[in-house]
Amino acid sequence: MRYSILLLALISANLMASAPIGSSTVLGSYANRQSLMTSLSNPAAPYLMTNIQSFRAGFLGPLSLGYEIGDAKDLKDQVDQLETILEKDYSSSLSSLTVVDLAKLGLTTNSTNEEISNALLNGDTEVSRAVSQANTILGDIGDTAYVKLSGGLQVPFMPVIYKTNNRGAFMLDSDVSFVGRVGVLSDDISAKVSGEDVELSSDTAVFLKRATDFRVGLGYSQAVGRPVSGALILGGKINLHSIALGQKLSFLTNKDDNGTDAFGDFLMNRENVQSGISLDLGAIWTAPNYQLGATVTSINEPEFDFEELGNCSGLSGSELASCSSTVNLSNKGKLNLKETYKMKAQLTLDVALMSTNQNWSLSGSYDANPVEDAVGDRYQWKTVSLSYFSDNLYFPGIRIGYRKNHAGSKLSYATVGATFFRRLDFDIAYGLEKASGESLPRSLYFSLGYGFAF
């Protein structure tokens, strides 16, 4: 059934900056030399990861995947009701009107189709009641229903870190990441009369945005001061991005629009690829039993353009109808036809109390300002964690914590992770909020990777 596409798109979409990765799922931006992947959080961190004139490298992963859903109450029931309303034949409501009924609606037998449409919408009729109920459902769905999936994968053997004999550390790292978001752009239902037929129409659409990024980073960190009480480390990293951005709509009342059929392929394709460079800076003050860190990402704030929508020249049939509906949504201020993703700068601060070898640590990190990811969702993370990294091959390292997004969805998570055999890392962030009437959390992230023991 046509309107079941709305439900299917919102619960079965295929899987950037919004997704945590590796042990940082629990630890946040705190850099711990017992976990190589924490070197990715702060450009100054690679200096801590290895000894002078030695290499350190990753192996496999980590692979990180996660989802987030809106707080849509009884989504399936609402979509079923919407389907029933919009697919019902209302022609009988028109054909059964008597002269008396027409008079009550302020009409005559000579009234135009437009006058009849307005009367059916504004009077106390079956059509007006159905339209009112459908608009209420669409309003609820449009405000609360979305599904977002994201993930990342570190290129094998990355990152690679080498510390020179002058105590400078070089790092090369690379990863791929992706994010897709399916939501609803809701628009009022209207009734159209053509002859003896009555049709309900709307520019309501399933709206999908996606981004994929292949990134290569080259960083350098150096100790610039070593007083007795600790050491100041500064670092920087240049990131080369190859980003593909796309957006797509499928209109619910356009029966010939099959745009949702290829949503899975659309989410992962690499059309509209653009290149850009982002610059990160970091600083760490490290002492025997505490550590302070600060990171600024994307200080140059590069911009990337989505594919432009609303170019209707040369189109016909259902494609022209969908394009015209796209322009209508833009004219109503519900859609930007030419959207740009700006990778805005973000300042992150972290602090940790720890044992001298960093096996034990109590840490916290906080993003000082919110930023939007590639699909427009805002993130501002706060994390706290307690971790133990074991030197015993058979006793796992354990970490637990709490993570909260202070912008956008404002979701919170309980986090837990473990390192088995000093090589296999598994971390999970379990959402503490649930969608109304659902047993699953509104969000969940997990990460799995295998590295070399340090």
Side-chain angles (χ1 to χ4, degrees):
M1 293 183 180
R2 173 69 189 167
Y3 301 96
S4 295
I5 290 176
L6 173 60
L7 177 63
L8 293 174
L10 288 173
I11 64 175
S12 63
N14 291 342
L15 283 180
M16 188 154 299
S18 59
I21 190 168
S23 55
S24 294
T25 304
V26 179
L27 301 179
S29 65
Y30 160 56
N32 187 317
R33 64 175 175 268
Q34 301 289 347
S35 174
L36 178 62
M37 290 305 152
T38 63
S39 65
L40 303 175
S41 301
N42 187 323
Y47 181 87
L48 300 173
M49 297 294 153
T50 188
N51 300 318
I52 295 175
Q53 288 188 299
S54 61
F55 280 95
R56 188 175 179 188
F59 186 36
L60 296 177
L63 168 68
S64 179
L65 295 173
Y67 75 85
E68 182 181 313
I69 61 175
D71 188 16
K73 184 177 181 181
D74 301 323
L75 178 60
K76 184 178 184 304
D77 292 339
Q78 291 192 82
V79 172
D80 287 343
Q81 289 179 344
L82 183 65
E83 179 182 356
T84 300
I85 294 170
L86 295 181
E87 290 193 341
K88 184 176 180 180
D89 184 359
Y90 294 95
S91 300
S92 59
S93 299
L94 178 61
S95 61
S96 63
L97 291 176
T98 65
V99 175
V100 176
D101 294 328
L102 291 173
K104 289 181 180 179
L105 294 173
L107 302 172
T108 69
T109 54
N110 295 321
S111 295
T112 65
N113 286 341
E114 182 177 357
E115 291 172 337
I116 296 173
S117 298
N118 290 333
L120 289 176
L121 283 174
N122 297 321
D124 183 16
T125 65
E126 180 187 18
V127 173
S128 66
R129 291 189 293 270
V131 167
S132 177
Q133 185 181 4
N135 283 334
T136 299
I137 294 172
L138 285 174
D140 291 342
I141 293 176
D143 291 338
T144 60
Y146 70 91
V147 169
K148 179 178 182 180
L149 297 105
S150 58
L153 175 64
Q154 197 74 11
V155 172
F157 303 104
M158 296 288 176
V160 176
I161 299 173
Y162 177 71
K163 185 183 287 187
T164 65
N165 58 8
N166 68 349
R167 297 181 180 275
F170 291 91
M171 180 175 75
L172 175 67
D173 75 288
S174 181
D175 61 46
V176 293
S177 58
F178 49 94
V179 58
R181 190 184 196 278
V182 181
V184 177
L185 294 180
S186 60
D187 185 60
D188 288 342
I189 302 289
S190 61
K192 293 183 179 180
V193 175
S194 178
E196 296 184 354
D197 295 328
V198 178
E199 289 187 358
L200 300 186
S201 63
S202 171
D203 288 331
T204 295
V206 175
F207 184 38
L208 182 140
K209 298 176 74 174
R210 61 105 176 103
T212 59
D213 183 18
F214 177 70
R215 184 193 61 84
V216 177
L218 178 63
Y220 179 79
S221 53
Q222 173 80 56
V224 297
R226 296 184 62 86
V228 176
S229 58
L232 175 63
I233 305 166
L234 301 180
K237 185 164 67 170
I238 299 175
N239 301 288
L240 176 62
H241 300 270
S242 175
I243 292 182
L245 301 173
Q247 50 187 352
K248 189 182 185 72
L249 295 96
S250 179
F251 293 89
L252 298 186
T253 57
N254 184 346
K255 296 180 180 179
D256 296 321
D257 184 351
N258 296 317
T260 51
D261 294 347
F263 266 5
D265 294 335
F266 173 78
L267 279 164
M268 298 304 295
N269 74 28
R270 290 284 294 172
E271 296 178 357
N272 186 36
V273 177
Q274 302 161 74
S275 298
I277 292 175
S278 65
L279 305 176
D280 305 337
L281 294 177
I284 293 176
W285 174 267
T286 183
N289 296 114
Y290 73 95
Q291 184 171 291
L292 306 174
T295 306
V296 182
T297 57
S298 303
I299 60 174
N300 60 320
E301 297 190 336
E303 296 184 355
F304 305 89
D305 295 326
F306 279 85
E307 293 173 301
E308 186 174 356
L309 301 174
N311 183 1
C312 303
S313 60
L315 301 180
S316 61
S318 64
E319 291 183 344
L320 178 60
S322 294
C323 186
S324 299
S325 295
T326 299
V327 175
N328 290 339
L329 288 174
S330 176
N331 292 337
K332 295 174 183 178
K334 298 183 178 183
L335 176 67
N336 188 348
L337 297 179
K338 192 173 183 179
E339 187 169 350
T340 296
Y341 165 50
K342 187 173 185 178
M343 194 178 289
K344 298 199 71 173
Q346 185 174 50
L347 170 65
T348 302
L349 305 173
D350 62 84
V351 59
L353 300 175
M354 59 198 187
S355 60
T356 303
N357 60 6
Q358 285 192 307
N359 280 19
W360 288 96
S361 60
L362 173 65
S363 66
S365 64
Y366 181 72
D367 295 336
N369 62 290
V371 296
E372 290 187 355
D373 66 6
V375 295
D377 290 323
R378 287 159 53 87
Y379 287 88
Q380 184 181 12
W381 291 113
K382 175 184 72 179
T383 64
V384 293
S385 67
L386 176 65
S387 60
Y388 171 68
F389 286 89
S390 174
D391 291 328
N392 189 306
L393 182 64
Y394 302 105
F395 190 84
I398 301 294
R399 45 198 172 271
I400 58 172
Y402 172 81
R403 168 183 289 269
K404 181 176 177 62
N405 179 15
H406 283 270
S409 66
K410 298 187 183 300
L411 295 177
S412 55
Y413 304 78
T415 57
V416 62
T419 300
F420 300 97
F421 311 111
R422 299 182 63 197
R423 292 171 174 83
L424 180 64
D425 290 318
F426 179 76
D427 295 84
I428 188 169
Y430 188 88
L432 299 179
E433 292 85 6
K434 296 181 179 179
S436 302
E438 301 292 337
S439 58
L440 292 176
R442 284 186 54 194
S443 185
L444 179 73
Y445 292 102
F446 78 89
S447 178
L448 180 66
Y450 188 89
F452 296 113
F454 174 67

